Every structure is written in C-alpha cells, then in structure tokens.
C-alpha cells in the first residue's frame, strides 16, 4: 500500500499478505509457549516501523467463528480491554470499509489511534482481514492521542483438519509515531502480544452464546446487504503519511506499575 493514491486491495494483494504472514524467513522467534508463537523483525536503521507477527493454534474454535469474532465490532467492545473507542465510518465496497480505532498503551505512554481502510476476503477454507492507514477529512488527529500509522496489519485464519480448529496469524507493520522505550518493545513481544491472542481465543469460545442474545442474524461481513453504513467515495480518502504526523520521543520513559487485566 505504498502508492500515491488510496486503492482497494485486489486478489494479488490478499495473496501477497497471506504469503508474508505464513513466511518465517527473516523473522526471529521471541516467544513460543502454550500454542502461541511471537515473531519479530529488528528495526531498520533510521526507521521506526515495528514489525510483529503472532501465530496461535486454536483447538476448539472454527475458522468461521474466528472470522466472525474479528469482524463483530459490537462484540469487540465487550472483549477487547485495550480498546478506548472503535466505530465504522463508512463502506467502500461489499468487502471494504473505513473505521476508527483507539487503544490504551502501556503507562506512561500516550494512547494511540488510527483511521484504516479495512478489507476482507474468504479464500477457500481460509479467511483474510487486513488494513492500512488512510486520512479522512472529518476525522483529524486528536490532541489527547498520538495518530499511529498502520503500514499493513491484519489476520490470516486457516481452517485446520478437525472441523472445530483453526490457526490464527496476526501480522502488524506499524509506525507508532514516536521513539519507544526498549521495555515497551520487549513487553509487547513477550507479554502483551501473547495475552492479546489468548483474549481473542477466549472471546471466540464465548461468541456463539453471546451472539444468540445480540442480533444473531446480523453479520454484514457475510451478508453485505445488511450493512447500514453510508457509502464513502475513494476520492474522500488519502494515504496517511507518517511524516505529516506528530512524532514524539518517549524513549526515556520508565515503566510504571499498573494493574494487569486477568487473562
């Protein structure tokens, strides 16, 4: 997504993202425990793009359920304890939309937010959801948050042998717009990322029961005719360039003790 104009990913873009998610060459394993593996790539000289990849084997969750959970914005507000605010802005096509997401960063860092173009595609028995940052004129940066940049972030869900199991791979290439302390980078790969994956798995196990009580037939990611989002012309969007955003130096901040959410 490095071109000059905003484009909606085509089949080649999805295939390329899937291949990168599944490739392990050039990645270092930082964590491998309890069915969760975390890979990282070292920062390039003079660049602040952080790359992380997490893979989790889910023995009691189908690929279809995982796909629903990652899409369902109402359910995300229930299980995602890092979320501050999230909402859809509008639709572009039957499998692409634009949305806002803000999240809590480890104290004492400032919280971050993003505006992203998100697209999704079932590929055989597998599913892909991916996004990259865009600018929307009605949603500028907020004073109390740092606008981060998703270079390319997303999920690949692979259906496994037994009907009720899948493998989830999450890959993020993000510019957090700031020089982060080393303890944040280490904490992300050794603790925060595995914990986030566990929360997704736990959310999947409870989803069917929750969905039965919350608009069970409403799944616009599967049935696009259900969407109530307004249409957005691509011309309203532009590429979010990192250079145009505030860049803060938080590298000297020390970690503070905070109560950790229980898994």
């Amino acid at each position: 997504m490095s071109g000059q104009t905003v484009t909606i990913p085509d089949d080649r873009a999805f295939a390329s993202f899937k291949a990168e998610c599944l490739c392990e060459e050039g990645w270092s394993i930082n964590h491998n425990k309890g069915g969760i593996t975390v890979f990282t790539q070292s920062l390039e000289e003079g660049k602040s793009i952080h790359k992380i990849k997490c893979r989790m084997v889910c023995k009691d969750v189908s690929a279809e359920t995982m796909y629903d959970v990652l899409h369902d914005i109402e359910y995300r507000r229930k299980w995602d304890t890092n979320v501050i605010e999230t909402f859809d802005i509008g639709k572009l096509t039957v499998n692409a939309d634009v949305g806002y997401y803000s999240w809590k960063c480890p104290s004492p860092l400032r919280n971050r937010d993003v505006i992203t173009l998100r697209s999704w595609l079932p590929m055989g028995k597998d599913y892909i959801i991916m996004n990259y940052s865009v600018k929307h004129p009605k949603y500028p940066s907020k004073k109390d948050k740092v606008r981060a940049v998703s270079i390319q972030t997303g999920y690949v869900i692979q259906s496994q042998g037994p009907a009720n199991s899948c493998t989830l791979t999450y890959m993020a290439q993000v510019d957090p717009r700031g020089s982060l302390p080393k303890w944040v980078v280490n904490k992300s790969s050794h603790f925060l990322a595995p914990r986030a994956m566990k929360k997704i798995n736990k959310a999947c196990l409870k989803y069917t029961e929750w969905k039965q009580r919350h608009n069970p037939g409403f799944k616009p990611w599967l049935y696009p005719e259900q969407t109530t989002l307004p249409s957005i012309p691509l011309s309203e969007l532009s590429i979010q360039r990192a250079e145009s955003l505030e860049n803060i130096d938080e590298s000297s901040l020390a970690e503070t003790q905070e109560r950790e959410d229980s898994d």
Side-chain angles (χ1 to χ4, degrees), residues 98-138:
V98 177
Y100 173 86
Y101 182 82
S102 59
W103 69 95
K104 302 169 193 171
C105 288
S107 181
L109 272 62
R110 285 169 62 186
N111 295 328
R112 262 64 176 178
D113 68 358
V114 287
I115 302 283
T116 60
L117 187 160
R118 187 181 61 142
S119 51
W120 54 93
L121 187 71
M123 295 183 75
K125 293 184 178 181
D126 301 338
Y127 300 89
I128 300 173
I129 304 171
M130 60 186 191
N131 72 60
Y132 69 96
S133 281
V134 294
K135 280 200 292 190
H136 189 289
K138 293 181 181 177

Side-chain angles (χ1 to χ4, degrees), residues 153-200:
T153 300
Y155 302 92
V156 171
I157 308 162
Q158 297 172 281
S159 184
Q160 298 301 332
N164 214 34
S165 66
C166 69
T167 297
L168 173 68
T169 302
Y170 166 76
M171 185 174 71
Q173 299 182 53
V174 176
D175 187 335
R177 297 315 295 150
S179 302
L180 298 179
K182 285 186 177 177
W183 65 262
V184 170
V185 179
N186 291 335
K187 188 173 183 179
S188 293
S189 58
H190 291 284
F191 177 71
L192 297 178
R195 188 177 71 167
M197 297 296 271
K198 288 177 188 174
K199 284 186 177 179
I200 292 173

